[in-house]
Amino acid sequence: MKQHLTFLGLESSCDDTAAAVVRVGPDGAQILSSVVAGQTELHAPFGGVVPEIAARAHAEKLDLCVEEALAESGLGLRDLDGIAVTAGPGLIGGVMSGVMCAKGLAAGSGLPLIGVNHLAGHALTPRLTDDLAFPYLMLLVSGGHCQFLIAHGPEEFSRLGGTIDDAPGEAFDKTAKLLGLPQPGGPVVEAEAAQGDPKAFAFPRPLLDRPGCDMSFSGLKTALLRARDAVVVEHGGLPRQVRRDLCASFQAAVRDTLAEKSRRALVQYLDLNPAQPSFAVAGGVAANKAIRAALETVSAEMGVAFTAPPLRLCTDNAAMIAFAGIERFRTGARDGMDLTARPRWPLDQSAPALLGSGKKGAKA
Ligand code: KG4
Ligand code: ZN
C-alpha cells in the first residue's frame, strides 16, 4: 500500500453540501481543503429542513463544491487515490445525489469508490484531528443522532446506549423555534443562554432515575413549551430576559443529562477497556461550549483523556468522510457501481434499533 493516500470526500446527507481533500501519511492526516455549502437560508422559511429542497440543492451544489475543493487543494482527480462518499444514513434524496456524483467521478477517473457511513465519519473524526488510537469511547451528539459508541476499528463499533426519542440538536432546534429564534437552533440558543440564568426554570433531567446510558429529550421539549406558555399568559408575551433564562435552563438540562450519562457510559467502557482511558465527542452539539466543558470535567474526574475536535469538524463536513474513506480503504474495502444510498444504517448492527426517527431521518 502507498505511504500516502489522498481522497476526495463528498457529504450530502442532511443540509450541508460538502467536498474535501484529505491526505493520510506516516506523519498523520492533513486536510488539504474542506468546502461546506450550507442551506440554512433555503430552509429558513419552513422552520426546519425540507428533504426535497435539500436534495435539489445538493444536486446543484455538489459539482461546484468538488471543483472548489480540488482547486483549493491544488490537486486534480489524477492526483487522488480514491473517492469517498456518504452512502447513509440520512435524507435519502441528498444521499442519492452524493452517491450519484461520486459514482460519476469514479467512473470517469477510474478511481476506487468507497461508501462511508456518515456516523462513522463523525465517530472517526478524533483520529483525523488527534490521531486517537483505538479503542475509545465516543459520544456522537448532533441534530439526528445521539449515542455512546465504543470505536474498536474503522468499521467496528459497539453501542452502549443512545436516545430513545429526539436527538439533542433536534431539541435545541425545536427550542429555538418555540422561542421565535432562527434555525439552526443550537448556536442561537447557546448565545441566548450565555446571558440567562440556568436555574430560573427547573426542567427535567430525563432518564437519570433509570440505570444505563439511554437518553430521552422529547419530554424536555414539552416542558419548555409549557414553561413558555405559562410565561406568555403571565406577561402577555415573552420578555427578552425570560427567553434568555429559558434558553439557559434548557441548555443546563441537556448538559447535565449528557454529563451524567457520559459518566455512566465511561464506567461501562473502562470496565471493558481499563488500559485505554479515552473519551471523545463529535457531532454538531459538541460545538456547544457549556456541554464540552461539562464532558471535559467528567473526564477529568474519572482520569480519562478527553478529545473534542475543533468546532468546524464537529458539524457536518466532508473531511471526515474523506478520512473515514481512507480508513475503510486501508482495511481492503472497495465499493462498486452497485453502491446504494441507505436512509438507515446503524453503526452497531448487533444492537437493537433505537426508537426515535428524528426530524433529519439520520438516526440509527
Ligand atoms: O452534525 P450536524 O452538523 O448535523 C447532523 O445532525 O448530522 O449537527 C447539527 C446540529 C443542529 O441540530 C444544531 O442545532 C446543533 O447541531 N448545534 C448545536 C450547536 N451548534 C450546532 N447545538 C448546541 N449548541 C451549539 N453551539
Ligand atoms: Zn452529522
Side-chain angles (χ1 to χ4, degrees):
M1 177 120 7
K2 280 173 70 177
Q3 271 220 323
H4 286 92
L5 287 173
T6 311
F7 266 55
L8 171 70
L10 301 183
E11 157 62 34
S12 56
S13 65
C14 188
D15 56 351
D16 290 302
T17 318
V21 179
V22 170
R23 174 170 290 165
V24 176
D27 13 301
Q30 220 186 329
I31 299 173
L32 302 182
S33 65
S34 179
V35 176
V36 181
Q39 304 177 354
T40 308
E41 63 300 338
L42 290 181
H43 302 288
F46 307 98
V49 178
V50 184
E52 289 74 15
I53 295 179
R56 214 170 308 139
H58 287 307
E60 280 168 15
K61 290 265 178 66
L62 271 161
D63 287 6
L64 299 171
C65 288
V66 168
E67 267 177 31
E68 202 178 325
L70 286 173
E72 233 176 73
S73 70
L75 301 179
L77 281 175
R78 69 188 160 286
D79 303 313
L80 303 177
D81 299 297
I83 307 221
V85 61
T86 299
L91 297 173
I92 192 66
V95 180
M96 281 171 70
S97 299
V99 168
M100 297 310 283
C101 179
K103 281 184 183 174
L105 288 167
S109 62
L111 287 168
L113 175 69
I114 302 284
V116 167
N117 182 311
H118 177 84
L119 305 177
H122 280 304
L124 297 172
T125 301
R127 290 176 55 74
L128 163 66
T129 56
D130 295 79
D131 208 8
L132 200 61
F134 292 121
Y136 52 88
L137 177 70
M138 179 82 212
L139 169 60
L140 197 62
V141 60
S142 73
H145 18 260
C146 180
Q147 44 191 297
F148 290 105
L149 295 160
I150 301 178
H152 304 280
E155 296 192 87
E156 258 179 278
F157 301 92
S158 39
R159 198 181 73 213
L160 297 182
T163 182
I164 58 165
D165 41 53
D166 292 352
E170 194 174 355
F172 268 94
D173 294 340
K174 284 182 181 161
T175 293
K177 207 168 164 184
L178 290 172
L179 299 180
L181 296 165
Q183 299 291 314
V188 197
V189 171
E190 180 175 17
E192 290 283 299
Q195 301 171 70
D197 174 6
K199 295 207 167 73
F201 294 87
F203 288 139
R205 270 64 173 158
L207 296 195
L208 286 197
D209 53 337
R210 281 197 232 159
C213 45
D214 278 344
M215 292 162 277
S216 160
F217 294 96
S218 70
L220 184 52
K221 181 186 66 198
T222 314
L224 182 112
L225 173 64
R226 290 219 188 92
R228 181 207 66 178
D229 288 350
V231 169
V232 170
V233 168
E234 191 188 332
H235 297 270
L238 194 57
R240 177 178 277 186
Q241 189 53 43
V242 181
R243 185 161 79 178
R244 290 173 175 157
D245 293 344
L246 282 167
C247 287
S249 304
F250 162 81
Q251 183 176 275
V254 177
R255 178 200 64 198
D256 292 352
T257 306
L258 289 173
E260 173 55 23
K261 294 290 178 172
S262 298
R263 202 184 58 72
R264 293 182 195 180
L266 274 169
V267 170
Q268 282 187 40
Y269 168 81
L270 291 172
D271 220 28
L272 299 166
N273 305 280
Q276 195 74 11
S278 183
F279 180 39
V281 66
V285 179
N288 186 289
K289 290 180 203 72
I291 292 172
R292 275 166 98 105
L295 300 179
E296 205 165 351
T297 304
V298 169
S299 307
E301 281 166 10
M302 298 186 69
V304 168
F306 178 66
T307 307
L311 304 190
R312 74 195 157 80
L313 294 174
C314 279
T315 48
D316 285 352
N317 66 88
M320 68 179 189
I321 303 302
F323 178 76
I326 294 175
E327 294 249 88
R328 269 202 81 205
F329 185 81
R330 285 178 141 173
T331 67
R334 304 287 183 275
D335 286 302
M337 287 299 143
D338 55 350
L339 175 69
T340 49
R342 301 169 66 171
R344 284 181 174 259
W345 185 359
L347 270 184
D348 181 351
Q349 311 272 353
S350 66
L354 289 167
L355 297 178
S357 59
K359 86 174 177 223
K360 299 184 177 181
K363 243 181 243 158

